[in-house]
C-alpha cells in the first residue's frame, strides 16, 4: 500500500492545501493529512483539534484521505506508519528555499522522500497567515479557503 503524508500546521487549511491533498490522493492509495503541533497548546488561531476537525469536514468526500495530528518529529510518524512519501505544495521559489532543507533533513534522518506538487496558479498567493490578516481587518477570502473555514475565521477574528 502506498501511503503519503501531507504535513503542515494548517492554521487554518486553505483551498491551496486542499487542492494538494486531493491531487496527492490520485497518486497514492492512502493520504494522511498530518496536522503538526502540540495538541495541548493554543498557540495558533485554531487549536490542533479544531484544525483537524476543519480538514475532516472539507475532505470527507475523498475516501482515501484521513486526518491525524502529531506533536513530535515528522520522520518518527512516517517511520511508524510505513509512509511511502511526504507530499507538499510549492507556490514559488520562496517555498522551495524553505522546503529544501526540511526535505533533505528528513531524507537524511530516515530516507523518506518528499514529493512536491506545484500549486495551482489560482492559489499562488494564498497562505493561511495572509488570509488570517485579511479576515481580521474585514476583507473577503471567499474562494481562497473553504466556506466552513471562512465562517470559523470570522467567528474567531471579528
Ligand atoms: O505548514 P508549515 O508550518 O510550513 O509546516 C512545517 C512542518 C510542520 C511540516 C515542519 O515544521 C515539521 O515537519 N514539523 C514537525 C517537527 C519536525 O519534524 N521538524 C524537523 C523538520 S526537518
Amino acid at each position: 500500500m502506498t501511503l503519503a503524508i501531507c504535513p503542515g500546521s494548517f492554521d487554518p487549511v486553505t483551498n491551496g492545501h486542499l487542492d494538494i491533498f486531493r491531487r496527492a490522493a490520485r497518486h497514492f492509495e492512502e493520504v494522511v493529512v498530518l496536522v503538526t503541533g502540540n495538541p495541548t497548546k493554543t498557540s495558533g488561531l485554531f487549536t490542533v483539534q479544531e484544525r483537524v476537525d476543519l480538514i475532516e469536514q472539507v475532505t470527507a468526500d475523498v475516501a482515501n484521505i484521513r486526518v491525524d495530528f502529531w506533536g513530535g518529529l515528522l520522520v518518527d510518524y512516517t517511520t511508524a506508519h510505513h509512509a511511502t512519501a511526504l507530499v507538499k505544495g510549492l507556490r514559488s521559489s520562496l517555498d522551495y528555499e524553505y522546503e529544501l532543507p526540511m526535505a533533505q533533513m528528513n531524507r537524511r534522518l530516515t530516507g523518506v522522500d518528499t514529493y512536491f506538487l506545484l500549486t495551482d496558479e489560482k492559489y499562488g498567493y494564498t497562505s493561511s497567515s495572509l488570509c488570517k490578516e485579511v479576515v481580521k481587518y474585514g476583507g473577503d477570502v471567499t474562494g481562497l479557503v473553504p466556506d466552513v473555514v471562512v465562517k470559523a475565521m470570522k467567528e474567531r477574528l471579528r
Side-chain angles (χ1 to χ4, degrees):
M1 201 233 354
T2 57
L3 167 65
I5 310 294
C6 294
S9 42
F10 307 125
D11 184 38
V13 68
T14 69
N15 281 340
H17 296 135
L18 191 52
D19 180 59
I20 297 295
F21 306 157
R22 289 175 183 276
R23 286 160 59 195
R26 297 204 287 267
H27 294 281
F28 294 88
E29 288 169 283
E30 194 178 359
V31 168
V32 170
V33 178
L34 190 67
V35 178
T36 57
N38 187 332
T40 63
K41 281 195 183 153
T42 50
S43 49
L45 178 61
F46 296 102
T47 65
V48 166
Q49 188 58 55
E50 287 169 334
R51 299 174 206 181
V52 167
D53 291 344
L54 287 169
I55 299 168
E56 280 179 342
Q57 288 179 58
V58 298
T59 57
D61 61 315
V62 189
N64 63 334
I65 296 181
R66 288 190 295 113
V67 190
D68 200 359
F69 64 86
W70 182 244
L73 204 55
L74 185 55
V75 291
D76 288 341
Y77 187 97
T78 58
T79 301
H81 293 82
H82 308 288
T84 313
L86 295 161
V87 174
K88 304 198 85 177
L90 280 185
R91 289 166 297 191
S92 70
S93 58
L94 288 178
D95 280 350
Y96 174 78
E97 300 296 342
Y98 172 68
E99 297 291 349
L100 179 66
M102 288 197 287
Q104 290 177 325
M105 177 62 84
N106 287 330
R107 187 156 181 272
R108 180 180 190 276
L109 290 171
T110 61
V112 69
D113 270 314
T114 303
Y115 289 48
F116 292 104
L117 296 178
L118 294 182
T119 298
D120 188 303
E121 73 268 12
K122 65 177 175 286
Y123 304 123
Y125 56 89
T126 303
S127 70
S128 302
S129 51
L130 199 49
C131 287
K132 281 186 278 193
E133 185 169 325
V134 170
V135 171
K136 183 177 167 187
Y137 292 104
D140 183 15
V141 294
T142 303
L144 301 180
V145 300
D147 290 346
V148 66
V149 175
V150 175
K151 185 169 175 285
M153 289 171 84
K154 284 182 180 170
E155 284 169 6
R156 192 61 53 94
L157 284 164
R158 292 185 188 167

